[in-house]
Amino acid sequence: MDKIIKIKRTDLIAKCNKYLSGEIKETDFEDYAWNLIANDIFDWDDEIISEIIYQWDSPELNFPITKKNIELWKHQLETGEDLLPDYNLWNIHIDRQKEICLKHQSKWNPINNKLMIGVGSDLNIDPIHGLRHPKEKGTTGWYIWTGEYMESSDFFQPFCAEHLLQIRPDLIKYFGLDIGFRFLIDKNGHEDVWFDEKLKL
């Protein structure tokens, strides 16, 4: 009888580290997960390990194998905190949008996440400014930026709203605010939301 090999969280963390250092590719996760599932010599007694292995085995049904998601899986293995839905599922943020709208007395006016947002500057910098104009064709009407605002015509670049999930999912909850609303937030929890009548013109 073959000796049972016990899989630990550290084994999966090591796999994540190899990917993040460029030693392995995305497809290696599917092969690794399938090997663990298909061979009786492997065993584990950990719900998080089990969940992640099955996610890696079928990324088309769960979450894609991306650098950000690998970082999030590693975080889950280290802390137990699962942030994958926040960074991958738009609808997770819908109730949060409604809460923000209720808090700031705005009608909930959700956007089509396949349309464009105007993005200026590096979104990894704080604080982030956001404002919503009436939408034009192909756009949501939202514009977000960091640092000093500039009037130049190329300051804002079009960016698909859905792609913000993997960059700044904390912004998504504000995109239900109605036309005319603005926000100013940072990663430390500062939040300022207000209505600007001039934006509706």
Side-chain angles (χ1 to χ4, degrees), residues 67-114:
K67 181 176 183 291
K68 171 53 69 176
N69 284 345
I70 293 297
E71 291 171 349
L72 295 173
W73 276 309
K74 180 182 176 183
H75 174 80
Q76 185 181 3
L77 288 161
E78 292 173 336
T79 68
E81 183 182 28
D82 182 8
L83 297 176
L84 269 295
D86 282 36
Y87 281 79
N88 288 273
L89 304 175
W90 187 271
N91 287 346
I92 287 289
H93 301 272
I94 295 300
D95 285 342
R96 298 168 190 170
Q97 288 185 359
K98 292 178 179 179
E99 289 172 7
I100 288 287
C101 290
L102 182 64
K103 179 180 177 181
H104 298 285
Q105 301 179 332
S106 168
K107 178 182 78 172
W108 179 52
N109 187 359
I111 63 172
N112 181 334
N113 62 2
K114 304 299 183 184

Side-chain angles (χ1 to χ4, degrees), residues 8-139:
K8 301 176 181 178
R9 292 193 190 188
T10 51
D11 297 316
L12 273 65
I13 290 171
K15 186 66 66 172
C16 293
N17 287 336
K18 282 189 174 183
Y19 174 85
L20 295 172
S21 65
E23 296 176 55
I24 61 174
K25 298 179 180 180
E26 291 84 354
T27 53
D28 290 306
F29 285 90
E30 291 183 64
D31 295 340
Y32 175 68
W34 172 246
N35 188 45
L36 294 181
I37 293 168
N39 288 288
D40 293 336
I41 63 169
F42 297 112
D43 189 28
W44 53 89
D45 185 20
D46 185 313
E47 288 186 9
I48 289 178
I49 289 177
S50 184
E51 179 181 340
I52 291 175
I53 286 173
Y54 281 95
Q55 287 174 351
W56 287 355
D57 181 54
S58 302
E60 69 281 359
L61 299 178
N62 296 285
F63 303 114
I65 308 292
T66 64
K67 181 176 183 291
K68 171 53 69 176
N69 284 345
I70 293 297
E71 291 171 349
L72 295 173
W73 276 309
K74 180 182 176 183
H75 174 80
Q76 185 181 3
L77 288 161
E78 292 173 336
T79 68
E81 183 182 28
D82 182 8
L83 297 176
L84 269 295
D86 282 36
Y87 281 79
N88 288 273
L89 304 175
W90 187 271
N91 287 346
I92 287 289
H93 301 272
I94 295 300
D95 285 342
R96 298 168 190 170
Q97 288 185 359
K98 292 178 179 179
E99 289 172 7
I100 288 287
C101 290
L102 182 64
K103 179 180 177 181
H104 298 285
Q105 301 179 332
S106 168
K107 178 182 78 172
W108 179 52
N109 187 359
I111 63 172
N112 181 334
N113 62 2
K114 304 299 183 184
L115 298 182
M116 295 295 134
I117 286 173
V119 174
S121 312
D122 182 355
L123 295 183
N124 289 312
I125 300 172
D126 278 328
I128 288 187
H129 304 258
L131 58 82
R132 188 173 188 179
H133 285 291
K135 64 181 180 181
E136 299 176 355
K137 185 176 181 181
T139 75

